[in-house]
Amino acid sequence: MTYLLLSLGFLAVAVVVLVVALVGARDRAAIVRRWWLPVLIAGVMLAVLTAVFDNAMIASGLMTYGESHISGARIGLVPVEDFAYPLAGLLLLPALWLLLRRRRRE
């Protein structure tokens, strides 16, 4: 199994949970309007931090990747697949917050 396939699986689960959370939300438009900027800022920060620290860890030899398991696309030393995990977390956190908040009200 490649890291890309594994990453796409994590992203797919995150997207499904987010869609379920938004479909069940009372006022989707207000939620999206209120959340898009903070989520965007957090996403940029996560991408920068992932790039900096993953590059440092790979350069120091803490992590290595089998060339046959990655797509080959890199940002610095970091395979692009590594950016899927923070992105999945960025999608899952607000989705879980919505789902848990809704459950508490019921």
Side-chain angles (χ1 to χ4, degrees):
M1 177 177 282
T2 65
Y3 292 119
L4 181 60
L5 193 56
L6 189 61
S7 299
L8 290 176
F10 276 101
L11 281 174
V13 168
V15 168
V16 167
V17 173
L18 181 61
V19 167
V20 167
L22 286 174
V23 165
R26 287 186 185 168
D27 191 4
R28 275 185 297 252
I31 290 170
V32 171
R33 220 177 11 259
R34 189 172 62 230
W35 285 10
W36 76 268
L37 185 58
V39 170
L40 178 68
I41 291 168
V44 168
M45 290 173 63
L46 279 172
V48 169
L49 289 170
T50 299
V52 169
F53 288 106
D54 280 15
N55 267 301
M57 288 187 288
I58 293 168
S60 69
L62 290 174
M63 305 183 330
T64 59
Y65 296 92
E67 292 298 321
S68 63
H69 297 290
I70 60 174
S71 66
R74 294 178 181 261
I75 297 175
L77 299 172
V78 182
V80 293
E81 295 90 339
D82 267 8
F83 291 90
Y85 303 108
L87 178 59
L90 184 69
L91 298 175
L92 272 174
L93 223 47
L96 290 174
W97 186 83
L98 276 174
L99 289 171
L100 293 173
R101 186 180 74 161
R102 179 175 46 177
R103 186 173 216 180
R104 191 175 59 196
R105 285 185 180 167
E106 293 172 355

